[in-house]
Amino acid sequence: MAQAENLGNTTAMLALVMLSYMAQKVVPMALLGAFFSRTTTLPGLFAALDAFRLPPQVVLALMVAARFFPTIKKDAADLVDSLRNRRALRGVRGALRRPGRLFEYVAIPLLMRSMRVSDELAASALTRGLERCRRPTSLYPLNLGAQDPLVALAALLATAGLLCSQCLICALYDHR
Amino acid sequence: MIRKEGTLKEKSLKTISARDLVAIGVFAALSILIFFVVGGLAGLTLVGTVANIPIVSFFTSIAYLLSAAKVKKRGTLFVMGAINALPGLMAANVVGVVLCILSWAIAEVVASVGGYERKRTLVAAYTVGSTLQSAAYTLPIYPAGAQYLTERKELLHLSDEALAQYLAAFSWPVFRAMVALTAVTSLLGALLSLRLLKRHFEKAGLI
């Protein structure tokens, strides 16, 4: 913070303040997201969202979107390799010089491939009877167990503790 | 019998099916990816941080318009918008995300007026959705940002002059300017996307 004081009223200080604001907002959710992605499977998430009675239209589209990320990553990597082999993509500088061309070379083939993949995915899902029943049987039946109230209580206590500590800090600053 | 078949065909055109939802999911994933790549690069600069949504709206237009052109059914823009609003929860902006989903519901009404057939209506719907989303998502951030700076004035060693300067970055004129900029960039992005769709997808017979 002493270094921050040395920066004075500069643009760098403004950037620092904004960065700290963004970090305060994003870091807890990023940690939660990392924990979530390591411990939760997609079918498990589907079962949980279904148990919450969310609209099936949104749940299905959301699941497809989540499942499709690794596919896009792989397709994009293959495409970039292919462009490099043909010398159509000449480093980051070349790409930044002509962003329109980069967009046309990368985004359009990716979109075309996505259209084809979406048809294949839909055919596969329909073959497995996706549209046949409204509420399919889940392999992950979710019910409240004995540990759940304890975890909920611990989460509530932690939140209350955090609120109290923030109030205490504010009171201390006001007192100063 | 012919009339019954006609009614069934009409119904299948209006009702969103599992096949359509899979397509929407795929395009939503692409849109989220564009959001993270473009938004992340723009976020490296101060201007890009403040104008993040206007910049991203320009690039995500192609995913929205392609999904609307492929599916052509009511609910497409709403589901796309709702899924794309969810990463906003990463910034713990729950109110903003709920307002974003409402914004896309309004855009859906605009798109439904043209029955997902008229391209101009789709462009208008995307522009309305993006502009309202920009306003809805950042609306709770601006007062919160000012509150954050004011509360931490001493902690960050800010002088009154510096605080006033920083608060200017979270001022309502900046908010209004960003919303107006989103309207312009989303409209330009949608028009450019229409050209790209015509040039690459319509000619290939994909849509």
Side-chain angles (χ1 to χ4, degrees):
Chain A
M1 199 41 69
Q3 283 175 338
E5 196 177 11
N6 291 338
L7 284 169
N9 301 337
T10 60
T11 311
M13 185 67 182
L14 175 58
L16 192 70
V17 171
M18 287 191 75
L19 262 177
S20 79
Y21 174 71
M22 294 302 285
Q24 193 202 33
K25 289 277 181 190
V26 171
V27 168
M29 294 305 285
L31 287 173
L32 187 68
F35 174 76
F36 183 75
S37 66
R38 284 190 183 196
T39 55
T40 313
T41 59
L42 276 180
L45 179 64
F46 188 94
L49 295 174
D50 193 47
F52 273 119
R53 305 272 171 185
L54 281 180
Q57 290 87 348
V58 175
V59 176
L60 178 59
L62 191 66
M63 288 300 104
V64 172
R67 169 67 188 80
F68 196 60
F69 279 120
T71 312
I72 303 176
K73 197 178 165 188
K74 192 182 171 300
D75 286 349
D78 290 347
L79 188 67
V80 169
D81 278 348
S82 161
L83 288 171
R84 276 191 187 141
N85 286 339
R86 293 176 194 182
R87 298 194 177 184
L89 202 69
R90 294 183 180 184
V92 180
R93 276 187 190 175
L96 289 175
R97 264 182 216 158
R98 292 180 174 177
R101 183 176 280 188
L102 175 76
F103 189 73
E104 212 160 346
Y105 282 178
V106 178
I108 300 296
L110 267 180
L111 286 164
M112 283 197 170
R113 166 108 179 101
S114 303
M115 283 188 86
R116 234 176 296 140
V117 170
S118 77
D119 288 339
E120 288 166 11
L121 265 177
S124 162
L126 292 177
T127 312
R128 292 179 199 180
L130 190 71
E131 272 191 329
R132 297 297 297 169
C133 47
R134 283 182 176 235
R135 285 183 66 80
T137 312
S138 175
L139 284 172
Y140 300 84
L142 296 173
N143 294 307
L144 283 174
Q147 293 174 341
D148 293 309
L150 289 174
V151 174
L153 185 70
L156 276 173
L157 285 174
T159 311
L162 196 69
L163 276 173
C164 286
S165 65
Q166 282 204 336
C167 290
L168 201 68
I169 290 168
C170 286
L172 276 172
Y173 270 109
D174 287 344
H175 185 68
R176 272 174 137 191
Chain B
M1 187 67 189
I2 293 167
R3 195 180 166 187
K4 195 179 176 185
E5 275 178 6
T7 318
L8 279 172
K9 197 178 176 185
E10 205 172 274
K11 194 184 172 188
S12 72
L13 279 172
K14 284 180 180 172
T15 319
I16 207 156
S17 65
R19 177 183 286 272
D20 304 321
L21 289 169
V22 170
I24 293 171
V26 167
F27 291 117
L30 272 170
S31 179
I32 292 172
L33 196 77
I34 294 171
F35 164 76
F36 277 116
V37 173
V38 176
L41 287 173
L44 294 174
T45 61
L46 192 61
V47 177
T49 307
V50 179
N52 207 286
I53 297 181
I55 294 168
V56 168
S57 297
F58 180 84
F59 292 96
T60 52
S61 58
I62 194 155
Y64 277 84
L65 289 185
L66 190 55
S67 70
K70 183 174 163 58
V71 176
K72 286 182 181 169
K73 284 179 188 171
R74 281 177 196 162
T76 309
L77 276 185
F78 175 68
V79 179
M80 275 284 285
I83 294 173
N84 276 278
L86 292 178
L89 289 172
M90 279 177 69
N93 189 359
V94 181
V95 179
V97 169
V98 172
L99 291 173
C100 282
I101 294 172
L102 284 175
S103 307
W104 284 105
I106 295 168
E108 177 58 43
V109 173
V110 177
S112 297
V113 169
Y116 276 88
E117 289 295 337
R118 280 185 241 153
K119 286 172 185 170
R120 282 182 187 177
T121 323
L122 287 178
V123 170
Y126 177 73
T127 309
V128 167
S130 297
T131 310
L132 289 176
Q133 177 178 255
S134 175
Y137 189 72
T138 50
L139 188 67
I141 291 177
Y142 274 77
Q147 188 192 349
Y148 173 86
L149 287 171
T150 314
E151 279 175 4
R152 286 156 184 79
K153 187 185 164 217
E154 285 185 39
L155 192 71
L156 293 164
H157 302 276
L158 298 175
S159 64
D160 288 338
E161 188 191 338
L163 183 68
Q165 193 187 343
Y166 300 156
L167 286 176
F170 289 102
S171 65
W172 294 112
V174 173
F175 170 77
R176 283 194 288 271
M178 287 307 126
V179 173
L181 188 63
T182 310
V184 174
T185 54
S186 57
L187 178 66
L188 289 176
L191 290 172
L192 187 70
S193 298
L194 268 189
R195 278 185 67 186
L196 286 172
L197 292 185
K198 198 172 180 182
R199 191 168 153 190
H200 295 283
F201 294 86
E202 273 185 28
K203 278 186 181 174
L206 290 169
I207 51 172

